């Protein structure tokens, strides 16, 4: 059996090094599912890291959560989903706190939690509740010295029994990010935006099955089709002959 302390340390390191790439999120997801018998410990790692790191890392963990719950659902490990439902407000408060330091992450929270709601991982009533509070925490990217190519993200949720605390320091000025964090965030947002555009043009699963169905429903080529093609070809030939005659007449100065 793996050493619990070592598992925690490795998973913590993976969370700290998350970035905009899908591979970094998948690596952490696979690790958490591999050691799902330690689900409570690994879930607590997520909470700890989302509360301790800078704004960019918190945003990356928020994106990771969506991948994580999708995979947990596919693998039939409902405990990870249940624990995230229980603590979603704690996560939201950490990613987009009310002191202004995470204002640029409000859109991240909205997008991820809207996705979780659409997939049934989070209750829609909780999403609506958290959205009301997020409106008070939002600010513009310019206020933080952050200029991203695609504004990033959307909505929030939590079990209906929970309530998210109202902002206690609404007058606090948002903390400005240092230049390195701004550049990192812009680059990561650009990478995510590129992936979103790729998904728009991706052929959805089952597209080939739809083509095959249409093919099967189309009638076989028969004698009637042959006759129609012959008639169309004859009409086309006559039309071209008439055009040719007019053009030749015009060239010879003959009015028709």
């Amino acid at each position: 059996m793996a050493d619990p302390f070592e598992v925690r340390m490795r998973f913590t390191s993976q969370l700290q090094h998350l970035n905009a790439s899908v591979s970094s999120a998948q690596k952490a997801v696979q690790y958490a599912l591999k050691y799902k018998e330690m689900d409570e410990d690994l879930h607590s790692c997520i909470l700890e890291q989302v509360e301790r790191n800078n704004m960019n890392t918190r945003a990356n963990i928020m994106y990771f959560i969506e991948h994580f719950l999708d995979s947990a659902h596919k693998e039939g490990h409902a405990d990870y989903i249940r624990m995230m439902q229980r603590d979603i407000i704690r996560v939201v408060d950490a990613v987009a706190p009310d002191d202004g330091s995470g204002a640029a992450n409000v859109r991240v929270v909205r997008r991820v939690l809207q996705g979780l709601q659409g997939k049934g991982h989070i209750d829609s009533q909780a999403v609506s509740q958290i959205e009301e509070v997020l409106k008070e925490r939002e600010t513009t990217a310019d206020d933080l010295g952050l200029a991203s190519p695609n504004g990033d993200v959307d909505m929030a949720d939590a079990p209906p029994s929970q309530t998210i605390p109202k902002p206690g320091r609404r007058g606090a000025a948002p903390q400005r990010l240092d230049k390195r964090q701004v550049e990192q965030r812009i680059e990561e947002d650009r990478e995510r935006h590129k992936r979103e555009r790729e998904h728009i043009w991706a052929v959805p699963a089952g597209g080939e099955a739809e083509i095959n169905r249409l093919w099967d429903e189309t009638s076989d080529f028969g004698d009637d089709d042959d006759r129609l093609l012959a008639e169309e070809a004859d009409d086309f030939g006559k039309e071209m002959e008439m055009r040719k005659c007019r053009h030749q007449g015009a060239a010879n100065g003959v009015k028709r």
Side-chain angles (χ1 to χ4, degrees):
M1 181 177 177
D3 178 63
F5 179 76
E6 182 181 357
V7 171
R8 280 185 61 95
M9 293 300 295
R10 290 190 176 183
F11 187 57
T12 295
S13 177
Q14 290 172 347
L15 294 175
Q16 291 171 343
H17 291 89
L18 287 171
N19 53 47
S21 71
V22 175
S23 59
S24 70
Q26 289 177 336
K27 182 179 178 181
V29 166
Q30 291 168 1
Y31 192 83
L33 292 175
K34 179 180 178 180
Y35 294 102
K36 57 188 177 184
E37 69 276 6
M38 303 180 193
D39 52 10
E40 285 283 358
D41 278 343
L42 298 183
H43 177 75
S44 68
C45 288
I46 297 174
L47 298 180
E48 290 171 4
Q49 294 308 307
V50 85
E51 291 174 338
R52 294 178 181 179
N53 281 282
N54 62 36
M55 187 197 74
N56 290 342
T57 302
R58 285 181 269 155
N60 288 332
I61 294 176
M62 195 72 202
Y63 283 116
F64 156 79
I65 287 173
E66 184 171 7
H67 290 291
F68 183 36
L69 297 193
D70 284 347
S71 297
H73 176 72
K74 291 177 182 177
E75 295 291 327
H77 194 66
D79 285 345
Y80 275 130
I81 299 174
R82 175 186 55 78
M83 287 184 285
M84 190 56 64
Q85 290 173 340
R86 180 193 67 200
D87 294 324
I88 191 61
I89 286 176
R90 181 175 171 183
V91 172
V92 170
D93 274 337
V95 177
D98 63 2
D99 62 1
S101 63
N105 279 346
V106 169
R107 293 177 183 177
V108 176
V109 171
R110 283 202 181 106
R111 171 176 290 179
V112 172
L113 293 183
Q114 269 190 338
L116 294 178
Q117 176 194 359
K119 296 166 185 174
H121 300 325
I122 303 291
D123 184 80
S124 58
Q125 182 178 345
V127 173
S128 300
Q129 180 187 13
I130 297 176
E131 169 62 16
E132 290 302 312
V133 176
L134 288 178
K135 290 177 181 177
E136 302 178 7
R137 301 185 181 186
E138 192 169 23
T139 188
T140 64
D142 290 339
D143 292 336
L144 298 167
L146 180 63
S148 174
N150 62 314
D152 248 2
V153 187
D154 269 351
M155 254 203 73
D157 336 315
S161 60
Q162 292 182 313
T163 56
I164 190 166
K166 294 290 184 179
R169 287 172 284 178
R170 295 179 60 182
Q175 299 176 9
R176 298 184 69 85
L177 302 176
D178 63 45
K179 183 178 179 181
R180 185 187 62 80
Q181 290 181 355
V182 170
E183 291 174 347
Q184 177 187 350
R185 181 59 174 272
I186 291 173
E187 186 60 33
E188 291 183 346
D189 283 355
R190 186 176 289 123
E191 176 65 23
R192 292 188 185 100
H193 192 46
K194 182 176 72 174
R195 285 207 312 273
E196 288 173 4
R197 292 199 305 271
E198 292 172 351
H199 291 162
I200 291 174
W201 294 104
V203 176
E208 185 175 343
E210 178 68 12
I211 293 172
N212 291 336
R213 183 184 66 80
L214 292 173
W215 177 264
D216 292 338
E217 292 176 356
T218 303
S219 61
D220 294 335
F221 191 88
D223 294 339
D224 290 341
D225 298 295
D226 261 333
R227 188 180 69 256
L228 287 172
L229 287 175
E231 291 175 356
E232 290 178 1
D234 186 50
D235 292 341
F236 180 75
K238 290 178 180 178
E239 182 181 350
M240 294 304 295
E241 186 64 28
M242 291 177 63
R243 290 185 179 182
K244 179 180 178 182
C245 291
R246 286 198 298 270
H247 295 159
Q248 286 180 339
N252 296 328
V254 178
K255 295 184 179 180
R256 301 181 66 85

